[in-house]
Amino acid sequence: MTRIACLLLLATSAVAASENTAPQDAAVEFNRWYLSQVTQNITPDYASNIMQKYVTTATLGKLRRVNEQERQSGEQLYDADFFIKSQYIGDDWSKNIAVLSADADPVCLSVQIAFGAKQDHVVADCMIKENGQWKIQSVTNIK
């Protein structure tokens, strides 16, 4: 019985820890995963569990609608990747992702993420808490 109680305590602790990930850590984890997909020419699935873990429900819904509009019209509506804010992805970006700053305002916690060893591409991930987890609501190009 004690063994079962210990296992339940460990499982509960792991779930609580995953829900309390700092917004900066969540932003880095997502961008590392996302760039690994893109650099392998894998089109990220907006309905996947990993996307749902790191991106708000509302944002994923909007991205799915845009994809459907593009599919129906046959034309690309945006010329840059939503999450990276670039058409170009540097060879070293997925291995060099750094948090430059985190700044809270009434709308979200803005996490500035730099890509590449030279940190020559920077975006700001607007992070909000949804269901106890920090998720990306929007992304802005900084540099």
Side-chain angles (χ1 to χ4, degrees):
M1 188 66 150
T2 306
R3 180 180 253 175
I4 292 172
C6 286
L7 288 174
L8 286 173
L9 181 60
L10 286 174
T12 305
S13 298
V15 169
S18 69
E19 290 181 356
N20 290 325
T21 299
Q24 299 90 324
D25 295 337
V28 169
E29 288 171 16
F30 173 79
N31 282 290
R32 186 168 287 125
W33 170 80
Y34 188 79
L35 281 175
S36 75
Q37 299 296 291
V38 173
T39 57
Q40 296 175 56
N41 291 321
I42 299 170
T43 303
D45 178 5
Y46 294 133
S48 72
N49 288 339
I50 193 110
M51 280 289 202
Q52 292 174 22
K53 178 180 177 182
Y54 290 110
V55 182
T56 65
T57 303
T59 298
L60 288 174
K62 292 171 187 173
L63 292 171
R64 283 192 291 270
R65 283 191 294 281
V66 167
N67 277 355
E68 182 60 24
Q69 289 173 347
E70 288 179 338
R71 190 186 64 73
Q72 288 178 357
S73 70
E75 60 184 85
Q76 187 175 354
L77 299 176
Y78 298 101
D79 60 353
D81 182 276
F82 176 80
F83 294 105
I84 306 300
K85 297 298 184 192
S86 176
Q87 292 178 340
Y88 165 81
I89 294 176
D91 293 335
D92 69 339
W93 286 14
S94 63
K95 294 178 181 75
N96 295 288
I97 299 172
V99 173
L100 299 181
S101 68
D103 183 39
D105 64 33
V107 175
C108 65
L109 192 142
S110 181
V111 179
Q112 286 195 7
I113 302 285
F115 298 101
K118 295 180 181 178
Q119 300 184 343
D120 52 357
H121 183 71
V122 180
V123 298
D125 288 347
C126 175
M127 308 289 290
I128 64 167
K129 261 199 171 176
E130 182 179 84
N131 300 324
Q133 292 188 338
W134 286 102
K135 297 184 179 188
I136 297 170
Q137 176 173 278
S138 62
V139 182
T140 303
N141 185 34
I142 302 296
K143 170 178 151 185

